[in-house]
Amino acid sequence: MFFEKFRMDGQVAVITGGGRGIGLSCAEALAEAGARIVIIDRDDAVAESGRQALATKGVQADKYVLDVTDSAAVDKAAADIFARHGRIDVLVANAGIARTGARAEDTPDELWLNVNDVNYNGVFWCNRAFGKYMLKAGRGAIVNIGSMSGYIANRPQFQTYYNASKAAVHHLTASLAAEWADRGVRVNAVAPTYIETEMTRNIVDRSMMDVWIRDTPMGRMGQPHEIASVVHFLSCDASSLLTGATVKADGGFTIW
Ligand code: NDP
């Protein structure tokens, strides 16, 4: 009875930024639970590499190339994917970008707009577009990928634009959850600590990472699969009473 709640057989799960990193790990987790997977990514090569990585594990995923900042294209993607698969049960709004280094007072408009466009606007466009199909079906689960940076100000790097975009994702999650709770659609979020992906590999020098690890009660960074298992829980019936929650998967970082 209890383990059955973790199964997702026959469901269709759409994962933005699913070609690599945390998104790809989420795809693997939901596929293992029985869901049919649609990987969305901005770059066809990244989407295809994710699709092939899943294929080596016996998962036949679909892929769709989309920039989540283009709201009209997001609407079209939802329509196309629904036409192709006949249902949309789960959305993992994971696509996001991190930029660091500009102090708040020196932040160029383009940097602020770009980070918020992907991390915040893109999440809303996807929630709105895919959520409509779930509302029509009277059932669905959305998981938005926020960040512990929505709760804390990171150090030693400066990234006000990123932190603010992720705090906005958490409150967007709660607001949508309140609107859609009595119509069968749950909306939750995950707030990860630093996770070892290309995102963190690209922006760090070793000394920065040392500060992160020192500031983490568990004394380490996380792995993509440790976020994917939380996303799985929030996507399936095991979390049937959760909506509007942001689950911190942060190794204790926000305790200190
Ligand atoms: P990665 O950079 O490894 O993967 C992100 C994926 O999203 C990439 O494939 C990227 O494609 C895609 N993407 C970026 N912008 C868009 C867009 N406009 N439209 C469609 N796809 C896009 O990142 P992670 O796996 O590390 O991060 C995933 C999520 O987790 C992000 O929201 C991030 O903010 C969040 N997070 C990550 C943490 C970490 O430490 N790694 C910590 C806390 C939260 P492309 O290659 O074209 O950029």
Side-chain angles (χ1 to χ4, degrees), residues 91-153:
L91 167 70
V92 183
N94 161 78
I97 56 173
R99 303 284 181 268
T100 61
R103 283 185 176 266
E105 68 273 26
D106 298 322
T107 300
D109 290 9
E110 302 72 41
L111 178 57
W112 176 273
L113 291 170
N114 181 221
V115 169
N116 280 279
D117 209 14
V118 180
N119 292 3
Y120 179 41
N121 294 346
V123 168
F124 180 65
W125 307 146
C126 290
N127 278 239
R128 183 179 66 181
F130 289 94
K132 273 182 195 164
Y133 289 90
M134 298 178 190
L135 290 166
K136 265 186 217 147
R139 173 198 156 91
I142 296 176
V143 185
N144 294 320
I145 305 300
S147 172
M148 69 173 181
S149 305
Y151 293 99
I152 52 102

Short mmCIF file of all heavy atoms in Angstrom, two decimals, residues 91-153:
data_model
loop_
_atom_site.label_atom_id
_atom_site.label_comp_id
_atom_site.label_asym_id
_atom_site.label_seq_id
_atom_site.Cartn_x
_atom_site.Cartn_y
_atom_site.Cartn_z
N LEU A 91 5.04 18.19 -14.00
CA LEU A 91 6.01 19.14 -14.55
C LEU A 91 7.10 19.34 -13.50
O LEU A 91 6.79 19.66 -12.34
CB LEU A 91 5.35 20.49 -14.84
CG LEU A 91 6.33 21.65 -15.12
CD1 LEU A 91 7.03 21.46 -16.47
CD2 LEU A 91 5.62 23.00 -15.06
N VAL A 92 8.34 19.17 -13.91
CA VAL A 92 9.46 19.58 -13.06
C VAL A 92 10.08 20.81 -13.73
O VAL A 92 10.71 20.70 -14.78
CB VAL A 92 10.51 18.45 -12.91
CG1 VAL A 92 11.62 18.91 -11.96
CG2 VAL A 92 9.86 17.16 -12.41
N ALA A 93 9.82 21.98 -13.14
CA ALA A 93 10.34 23.23 -13.71
C ALA A 93 11.72 23.46 -13.13
O ALA A 93 11.88 24.09 -12.08
CB ALA A 93 9.39 24.38 -13.40
N ASN A 94 12.70 22.92 -13.83
CA ASN A 94 14.07 22.85 -13.30
C ASN A 94 15.04 23.77 -14.03
O ASN A 94 16.05 24.17 -13.45
CB ASN A 94 14.52 21.38 -13.43
CG ASN A 94 16.02 21.21 -13.36
OD1 ASN A 94 16.61 21.25 -12.28
ND2 ASN A 94 16.67 21.04 -14.52
N ALA A 95 14.73 24.15 -15.28
CA ALA A 95 15.68 24.96 -16.05
C ALA A 95 16.01 26.24 -15.28
O ALA A 95 15.12 26.94 -14.81
CB ALA A 95 15.10 25.30 -17.42
N GLY A 96 17.28 26.51 -15.17
CA GLY A 96 17.70 27.70 -14.44
C GLY A 96 19.15 28.01 -14.75
O GLY A 96 19.89 27.15 -15.24
N ILE A 97 19.54 29.24 -14.48
CA ILE A 97 20.93 29.63 -14.69
C ILE A 97 21.46 30.34 -13.44
O ILE A 97 20.70 30.98 -12.71
CB ILE A 97 21.11 30.56 -15.92
CG1 ILE A 97 20.23 31.82 -15.81
CG2 ILE A 97 20.79 29.80 -17.21
CD1 ILE A 97 20.50 32.84 -16.91
N ALA A 98 22.75 30.19 -13.22
CA ALA A 98 23.38 30.88 -12.09
C ALA A 98 24.47 31.78 -12.64
O ALA A 98 25.22 31.39 -13.54
CB ALA A 98 23.98 29.87 -11.13
N ARG A 99 24.53 32.97 -12.13
CA ARG A 99 25.61 33.89 -12.47
C ARG A 99 26.09 34.48 -11.16
O ARG A 99 25.29 34.70 -10.25
CB ARG A 99 25.12 35.02 -13.38
CG ARG A 99 24.48 34.55 -14.67
CD ARG A 99 25.54 34.09 -15.69
NE ARG A 99 24.95 33.67 -16.95
CZ ARG A 99 24.60 32.41 -17.24
NH1 ARG A 99 24.79 31.45 -16.35
NH2 ARG A 99 24.10 32.10 -18.42
N THR A 100 27.38 34.72 -11.04
CA THR A 100 27.89 35.31 -9.80
C THR A 100 28.87 36.41 -10.14
O THR A 100 29.30 36.54 -11.29
CB THR A 100 28.63 34.27 -8.93
OG1 THR A 100 29.74 33.80 -9.68
CG2 THR A 100 27.75 33.13 -8.53
N GLY A 101 29.23 37.18 -9.14
CA GLY A 101 30.37 38.07 -9.31
C GLY A 101 30.06 39.54 -9.33
O GLY A 101 30.91 40.35 -8.96
N ALA A 102 28.84 39.93 -9.76
CA ALA A 102 28.55 41.37 -9.80
C ALA A 102 27.98 41.80 -8.46
O ALA A 102 27.03 41.18 -7.95
CB ALA A 102 27.56 41.67 -10.92
N ARG A 103 28.55 42.82 -7.88
CA ARG A 103 27.96 43.39 -6.67
C ARG A 103 26.64 44.04 -7.03
O ARG A 103 26.44 44.49 -8.16
CB ARG A 103 28.90 44.42 -6.05
CG ARG A 103 30.06 43.77 -5.31
CD ARG A 103 30.90 44.82 -4.61
NE ARG A 103 31.95 44.20 -3.82
CZ ARG A 103 31.82 43.92 -2.50
NH1 ARG A 103 30.71 44.19 -1.86
NH2 ARG A 103 32.81 43.34 -1.85
N ALA A 104 25.73 44.10 -6.06
CA ALA A 104 24.38 44.61 -6.33
C ALA A 104 24.41 45.97 -7.00
O ALA A 104 23.71 46.22 -7.99
CB ALA A 104 23.58 44.67 -5.03
N GLU A 105 25.28 46.86 -6.47
CA GLU A 105 25.27 48.23 -6.99
C GLU A 105 25.84 48.33 -8.40
O GLU A 105 25.62 49.33 -9.09
CB GLU A 105 26.02 49.18 -6.03
CG GLU A 105 27.51 48.97 -5.92
CD GLU A 105 27.89 47.93 -4.86
OE1 GLU A 105 27.08 47.04 -4.55
OE2 GLU A 105 29.04 48.00 -4.35
N ASP A 106 26.54 47.28 -8.83
CA ASP A 106 27.14 47.31 -10.17
C ASP A 106 26.44 46.35 -11.14
O ASP A 106 26.94 46.08 -12.23
CB ASP A 106 28.63 46.90 -10.10
CG ASP A 106 29.42 47.87 -9.24
OD1 ASP A 106 29.12 49.08 -9.32
OD2 ASP A 106 30.31 47.41 -8.49
N THR A 107 25.31 45.80 -10.72
CA THR A 107 24.65 44.79 -11.56
C THR A 107 24.08 45.43 -12.83
O THR A 107 23.23 46.31 -12.75
CB THR A 107 23.51 44.12 -10.77
OG1 THR A 107 24.06 43.49 -9.61
CG2 THR A 107 22.79 43.09 -11.62
N PRO A 108 24.54 44.98 -13.99
CA PRO A 108 23.96 45.52 -15.23
C PRO A 108 22.52 45.05 -15.41
O PRO A 108 22.17 43.93 -15.00
CB PRO A 108 24.84 44.91 -16.33
CG PRO A 108 25.98 44.24 -15.65
CD PRO A 108 25.60 43.99 -14.23
N ASP A 109 21.70 45.87 -16.04
CA ASP A 109 20.30 45.50 -16.30
C ASP A 109 20.21 44.13 -16.96
O ASP A 109 19.36 43.31 -16.62
CB ASP A 109 19.63 46.51 -17.25
CG ASP A 109 19.40 47.87 -16.59
OD1 ASP A 109 19.91 48.09 -15.48
OD2 ASP A 109 18.72 48.70 -17.21
N GLU A 110 21.09 43.91 -17.96
CA GLU A 110 20.98 42.66 -18.76
C GLU A 110 21.15 41.44 -17.87
O GLU A 110 20.49 40.43 -18.06
CB GLU A 110 22.07 42.60 -19.86
CG GLU A 110 22.06 43.74 -20.85
CD GLU A 110 22.56 45.05 -20.23
OE1 GLU A 110 23.54 45.03 -19.45
OE2 GLU A 110 21.93 46.10 -20.51
N LEU A 111 22.07 41.53 -16.89
CA LEU A 111 22.31 40.39 -16.00
C LEU A 111 21.08 40.14 -15.14
O LEU A 111 20.60 39.00 -15.02
CB LEU A 111 23.54 40.69 -15.13
CG LEU A 111 23.93 39.63 -14.10
CD1 LEU A 111 24.18 38.29 -14.76
CD2 LEU A 111 25.18 40.07 -13.32
N TRP A 112 20.56 41.20 -14.54
CA TRP A 112 19.36 41.06 -13.70
C TRP A 112 18.22 40.46 -14.52
O TRP A 112 17.55 39.50 -14.09
CB TRP A 112 18.95 42.44 -13.14
CG TRP A 112 17.67 42.35 -12.37
CD1 TRP A 112 16.40 42.46 -12.88
CD2 TRP A 112 17.52 42.06 -10.97
NE1 TRP A 112 15.47 42.26 -11.87
CE2 TRP A 112 16.13 42.02 -10.70
CE3 TRP A 112 18.43 41.85 -9.93
CZ2 TRP A 112 15.62 41.76 -9.42
CZ3 TRP A 112 17.91 41.60 -8.66
CH2 TRP A 112 16.53 41.55 -8.42
N LEU A 113 18.01 41.02 -15.71
CA LEU A 113 16.86 40.59 -16.52
C LEU A 113 17.04 39.16 -17.01
O LEU A 113 16.09 38.37 -17.00
CB LEU A 113 16.68 41.55 -17.72
CG LEU A 113 16.21 42.95 -17.31
CD1 LEU A 113 16.28 43.91 -18.51
CD2 LEU A 113 14.79 42.92 -16.75
N ASN A 114 18.25 38.81 -17.41
CA ASN A 114 18.50 37.47 -17.94
C ASN A 114 18.26 36.40 -16.87
O ASN A 114 17.55 35.41 -17.10
CB ASN A 114 19.93 37.41 -18.48
CG ASN A 114 20.28 36.06 -19.08
OD1 ASN A 114 21.35 35.55 -18.89
ND2 ASN A 114 19.35 35.46 -19.80
N VAL A 115 18.85 36.61 -15.69
CA VAL A 115 18.70 35.59 -14.63
C VAL A 115 17.24 35.47 -14.20
O VAL A 115 16.71 34.36 -14.06
CB VAL A 115 19.61 35.94 -13.42
CG1 VAL A 115 19.29 35.06 -12.22
CG2 VAL A 115 21.07 35.80 -13.80
N ASN A 116 16.57 36.59 -14.04
CA ASN A 116 15.16 36.52 -13.63
C ASN A 116 14.26 36.01 -14.73
O ASN A 116 13.23 35.37 -14.46
CB ASN A 116 14.70 37.89 -13.10
CG ASN A 116 15.17 38.09 -11.67
OD1 ASN A 116 14.55 37.60 -10.73
ND2 ASN A 116 16.29 38.77 -11.51
N ASP A 117 14.65 36.26 -15.98
CA ASP A 117 13.85 35.77 -17.10
C ASP A 117 13.82 34.24 -17.13
O ASP A 117 12.76 33.63 -17.29
CB ASP A 117 14.44 36.31 -18.41
CG ASP A 117 13.40 36.46 -19.50
OD1 ASP A 117 12.19 36.42 -19.18
OD2 ASP A 117 13.79 36.64 -20.67
N VAL A 118 14.98 33.63 -16.95
CA VAL A 118 15.03 32.16 -16.97
C VAL A 118 14.48 31.59 -15.66
O VAL A 118 13.58 30.74 -15.66
CB VAL A 118 16.48 31.65 -17.18
CG1 VAL A 118 16.50 30.12 -17.19
CG2 VAL A 118 17.08 32.21 -18.46
N ASN A 119 15.02 32.07 -14.54
CA ASN A 119 14.74 31.41 -13.25
C ASN A 119 13.33 31.68 -12.72
O ASN A 119 12.79 30.85 -11.97
CB ASN A 119 15.74 31.88 -12.19
CG ASN A 119 17.15 31.39 -12.47
OD1 ASN A 119 17.40 30.73 -13.48
ND2 ASN A 119 18.07 31.70 -11.59
N TYR A 120 12.77 32.83 -13.07
CA TYR A 120 11.49 33.21 -12.48
C TYR A 120 10.40 33.24 -13.55
O TYR A 120 9.43 32.49 -13.50
CB TYR A 120 11.65 34.55 -11.77
CG TYR A 120 10.39 35.06 -11.13
CD1 TYR A 120 9.52 34.21 -10.45
CD2 TYR A 120 10.07 36.40 -11.19
CE1 TYR A 120 8.36 34.70 -9.86
CE2 TYR A 120 8.92 36.90 -10.59
CZ TYR A 120 8.06 36.03 -9.95
OH TYR A 120 6.92 36.51 -9.37
N ASN A 121 10.58 34.11 -14.57
CA ASN A 121 9.55 34.16 -15.62
C ASN A 121 9.36 32.78 -16.25
O ASN A 121 8.24 32.32 -16.45
CB ASN A 121 9.93 35.16 -16.72
CG ASN A 121 9.95 36.59 -16.22
OD1 ASN A 121 9.43 36.88 -15.14
ND2 ASN A 121 10.54 37.49 -16.98
N GLY A 122 10.48 32.13 -16.59
CA GLY A 122 10.40 30.83 -17.26
C GLY A 122 9.64 29.81 -16.43
O GLY A 122 8.86 29.01 -16.97
N VAL A 123 9.84 29.85 -15.12
CA VAL A 123 9.11 28.91 -14.24
C VAL A 123 7.62 29.23 -14.29
O VAL A 123 6.78 28.31 -14.38
CB VAL A 123 9.66 28.98 -12.80
CG1 VAL A 123 8.75 28.25 -11.82
CG2 VAL A 123 11.06 28.37 -12.76
N PHE A 124 7.27 30.51 -14.27
CA PHE A 124 5.83 30.83 -14.33
C PHE A 124 5.23 30.45 -15.68
O PHE A 124 4.14 29.87 -15.73
CB PHE A 124 5.55 32.30 -14.03
CG PHE A 124 4.07 32.60 -14.11
CD1 PHE A 124 3.19 32.02 -13.20
CD2 PHE A 124 3.56 33.38 -15.13
CE1 PHE A 124 1.81 32.23 -13.30
CE2 PHE A 124 2.18 33.61 -15.23
CZ PHE A 124 1.30 33.04 -14.31
N TRP A 125 5.92 30.77 -16.78
CA TRP A 125 5.34 30.41 -18.09
C TRP A 125 5.07 28.90 -18.14
O TRP A 125 4.02 28.48 -18.64
CB TRP A 125 6.28 30.78 -19.25
CG TRP A 125 6.79 32.18 -19.36
CD1 TRP A 125 8.02 32.56 -19.83
CD2 TRP A 125 6.10 33.41 -19.04
NE1 TRP A 125 8.14 33.94 -19.79
CE2 TRP A 125 6.98 34.49 -19.32
CE3 TRP A 125 4.84 33.72 -18.53
CZ2 TRP A 125 6.65 35.83 -19.12
CZ3 TRP A 125 4.49 35.06 -18.32
CH2 TRP A 125 5.39 36.08 -18.62
N CYS A 126 6.00 28.12 -17.63
CA CYS A 126 5.84 26.65 -17.68
C CYS A 126 4.72 26.19 -16.74
O CYS A 126 3.90 25.34 -17.12
CB CYS A 126 7.14 25.94 -17.34
SG CYS A 126 8.40 26.12 -18.61
N ASN A 127 4.67 26.75 -15.53
CA ASN A 127 3.59 26.37 -14.59
C ASN A 127 2.24 26.69 -15.22
O ASN A 127 1.30 25.89 -15.15
CB ASN A 127 3.73 27.10 -13.26
CG ASN A 127 4.73 26.44 -12.31
OD1 ASN A 127 4.38 26.05 -11.20
ND2 ASN A 127 5.97 26.30 -12.73
N ARG A 128 2.13 27.89 -15.82
CA ARG A 128 0.85 28.31 -16.40
C ARG A 128 0.46 27.40 -17.57
O ARG A 128 -0.67 26.90 -17.63
CB ARG A 128 0.97 29.76 -16.89
CG ARG A 128 -0.30 30.33 -17.45
CD ARG A 128 -0.12 31.78 -17.89
NE ARG A 128 0.81 31.89 -19.03
CZ ARG A 128 1.16 33.05 -19.59
NH1 ARG A 128 0.69 34.19 -19.12
NH2 ARG A 128 2.00 33.08 -20.61
N ALA A 129 1.41 27.16 -18.49
CA ALA A 129 1.09 26.42 -19.71
C ALA A 129 0.77 24.95 -19.41
O ALA A 129 -0.25 24.42 -19.88
CB ALA A 129 2.25 26.52 -20.70
N PHE A 130 1.63 24.29 -18.65
CA PHE A 130 1.42 22.86 -18.38
C PHE A 130 0.34 22.68 -17.32
O PHE A 130 -0.42 21.70 -17.34
CB PHE A 130 2.74 22.19 -17.98
CG PHE A 130 3.70 22.07 -19.13
CD1 PHE A 130 4.67 23.04 -19.37
CD2 PHE A 130 3.63 21.01 -20.01
CE1 PHE A 130 5.54 22.96 -20.45
CE2 PHE A 130 4.50 20.89 -21.09
CZ PHE A 130 5.46 21.88 -21.31
N GLY A 131 0.26 23.65 -16.38
CA GLY A 131 -0.76 23.58 -15.34
C GLY A 131 -2.18 23.57 -15.92
O GLY A 131 -3.07 22.91 -15.38
N LYS A 132 -2.39 24.27 -17.03
CA LYS A 132 -3.73 24.30 -17.65
C LYS A 132 -4.22 22.91 -18.01
O LYS A 132 -5.39 22.58 -17.82
CB LYS A 132 -3.69 25.15 -18.93
CG LYS A 132 -3.91 26.62 -18.69
CD LYS A 132 -3.92 27.37 -20.02
CE LYS A 132 -3.77 28.86 -19.75
NZ LYS A 132 -3.40 29.63 -20.93
N TYR A 133 -3.30 22.10 -18.53
CA TYR A 133 -3.70 20.73 -18.90
C TYR A 133 -4.00 19.91 -17.65
O TYR A 133 -4.91 19.07 -17.65
CB TYR A 133 -2.60 20.07 -19.75
CG TYR A 133 -2.55 20.71 -21.13
CD1 TYR A 133 -1.74 21.80 -21.37
CD2 TYR A 133 -3.37 20.26 -22.16
CE1 TYR A 133 -1.73 22.43 -22.61
CE2 TYR A 133 -3.37 20.88 -23.41
CZ TYR A 133 -2.55 21.96 -23.61
OH TYR A 133 -2.56 22.58 -24.85
N MET A 134 -3.25 20.14 -16.59
CA MET A 134 -3.51 19.42 -15.34
C MET A 134 -4.85 19.85 -14.74
O MET A 134 -5.61 19.02 -14.25
CB MET A 134 -2.38 19.68 -14.34
CG MET A 134 -1.02 19.19 -14.81
SD MET A 134 0.26 19.59 -13.61
CE MET A 134 1.73 19.18 -14.56
N LEU A 135 -5.11 21.15 -14.78
CA LEU A 135 -6.39 21.64 -14.23
C LEU A 135 -7.56 21.04 -14.99
O LEU A 135 -8.58 20.67 -14.40
CB LEU A 135 -6.42 23.17 -14.29
CG LEU A 135 -5.47 23.88 -13.32
CD1 LEU A 135 -5.32 25.36 -13.68
CD2 LEU A 135 -5.92 23.72 -11.87
N LYS A 136 -7.41 20.94 -16.31
CA LYS A 136 -8.48 20.33 -17.12
C LYS A 136 -8.70 18.88 -16.72
O LYS A 136 -9.83 18.40 -16.67
CB LYS A 136 -8.12 20.40 -18.61
CG LYS A 136 -8.73 21.61 -19.30
CD LYS A 136 -8.47 21.55 -20.81
CE LYS A 136 -8.21 22.95 -21.32
NZ LYS A 136 -7.28 23.04 -22.43
N ALA A 137 -7.59 18.19 -16.42
CA ALA A 137 -7.70 16.78 -16.05
C ALA A 137 -8.11 16.62 -14.58
O ALA A 137 -8.46 15.52 -14.14
CB ALA A 137 -6.36 16.08 -16.29
N GLY A 138 -8.02 17.70 -13.80
CA GLY A 138 -8.35 17.64 -12.37
C GLY A 138 -7.32 16.90 -11.55
O GLY A 138 -7.59 16.42 -10.45
N ARG A 139 -6.07 16.84 -12.10
CA ARG A 139 -5.03 16.09 -11.40
C ARG A 139 -3.66 16.46 -11.95
O ARG A 139 -3.51 16.60 -13.17
CB ARG A 139 -5.32 14.63 -11.65
CG ARG A 139 -4.34 13.66 -11.17
CD ARG A 139 -4.34 12.28 -11.72
NE ARG A 139 -2.98 11.78 -11.52
CZ ARG A 139 -2.59 11.13 -10.44
NH1 ARG A 139 -3.43 10.84 -9.49
NH2 ARG A 139 -1.33 10.76 -10.31
N GLY A 140 -2.70 16.61 -11.07
CA GLY A 140 -1.34 16.87 -11.54
C GLY A 140 -0.44 17.31 -10.41
O GLY A 140 -0.91 17.67 -9.33
N ALA A 141 0.85 17.22 -10.66
CA ALA A 141 1.83 17.65 -9.65
C ALA A 141 2.93 18.45 -10.35
O ALA A 141 3.47 18.02 -11.37
CB ALA A 141 2.43 16.45 -8.94
N ILE A 142 3.22 19.60 -9.79
CA ILE A 142 4.30 20.44 -10.31
C ILE A 142 5.37 20.56 -9.23
O ILE A 142 5.05 20.74 -8.05
CB ILE A 142 3.77 21.85 -10.67
CG1 ILE A 142 2.75 21.75 -11.82
CG2 ILE A 142 4.91 22.79 -11.04
CD1 ILE A 142 2.09 23.06 -12.20
N VAL A 143 6.61 20.41 -9.65
CA VAL A 143 7.73 20.62 -8.73
C VAL A 143 8.65 21.68 -9.33
O VAL A 143 9.20 21.48 -10.42
CB VAL A 143 8.52 19.32 -8.47
CG1 VAL A 143 9.59 19.58 -7.40
CG2 VAL A 143 7.60 18.18 -8.05
N ASN A 144 8.78 22.79 -8.64
CA ASN A 144 9.67 23.85 -9.10
C ASN A 144 11.01 23.73 -8.38
O ASN A 144 11.04 23.46 -7.17
CB ASN A 144 9.04 25.22 -8.80
CG ASN A 144 7.78 25.44 -9.62
OD1 ASN A 144 7.72 25.08 -10.80
ND2 ASN A 144 6.76 26.01 -9.00
N ILE A 145 12.08 23.93 -9.12
CA ILE A 145 13.39 23.86 -8.47
C ILE A 145 13.81 25.28 -8.07
O ILE A 145 14.13 26.12 -8.92
CB ILE A 145 14.46 23.21 -9.38
CG1 ILE A 145 13.98 21.82 -9.85
CG2 ILE A 145 15.78 23.10 -8.61
CD1 ILE A 145 13.70 20.81 -8.75
N GLY A 146 13.74 25.51 -6.78
CA GLY A 146 14.19 26.79 -6.22
C GLY A 146 15.64 26.66 -5.81
O GLY A 146 16.46 26.10 -6.54
N SER A 147 15.94 27.16 -4.62
CA SER A 147 17.32 27.06 -4.12
C SER A 147 17.35 27.49 -2.66
O SER A 147 16.54 28.33 -2.23
CB SER A 147 18.24 27.99 -4.91
OG SER A 147 19.52 28.04 -4.32
N MET A 148 18.34 26.96 -1.93
CA MET A 148 18.53 27.51 -0.58
C MET A 148 18.87 29.00 -0.65
O MET A 148 18.68 29.73 0.32
CB MET A 148 19.64 26.75 0.15
CG MET A 148 21.02 26.98 -0.42
SD MET A 148 22.25 26.22 0.63
CE MET A 148 23.76 26.64 -0.24
N SER A 149 19.34 29.44 -1.82
CA SER A 149 19.65 30.87 -2.00
C SER A 149 18.41 31.74 -1.93
O SER A 149 18.52 32.96 -1.83
CB SER A 149 20.34 31.10 -3.35
OG SER A 149 21.48 30.29 -3.46
N GLY A 150 17.23 31.11 -1.97
CA GLY A 150 15.99 31.85 -1.74
C GLY A 150 15.77 32.15 -0.26
O GLY A 150 14.85 32.89 0.10
N TYR A 151 16.61 31.53 0.60
CA TYR A 151 16.51 31.75 2.05
C TYR A 151 17.70 32.51 2.62
O TYR A 151 17.58 33.19 3.63
CB TYR A 151 16.42 30.41 2.79
CG TYR A 151 15.15 29.65 2.52
CD1 TYR A 151 15.12 28.60 1.60
CD2 TYR A 151 13.96 29.97 3.18
CE1 TYR A 151 13.96 27.90 1.35
CE2 TYR A 151 12.79 29.28 2.93
CZ TYR A 151 12.79 28.24 2.02
OH TYR A 151 11.64 27.55 1.77
N ILE A 152 18.86 32.31 2.00
CA ILE A 152 20.10 32.89 2.55
C ILE A 152 20.78 33.75 1.48
O ILE A 152 20.42 33.68 0.31
CB ILE A 152 21.08 31.78 3.02
CG1 ILE A 152 21.32 30.75 1.90
CG2 ILE A 152 20.54 31.07 4.25
CD1 ILE A 152 22.57 30.84 1.14
N ALA A 153 21.72 34.54 1.91
CA ALA A 153 22.58 35.23 0.94
C ALA A 153 23.90 34.48 0.92
O ALA A 153 24.58 34.36 1.95
CB ALA A 153 22.78 36.68 1.36
#
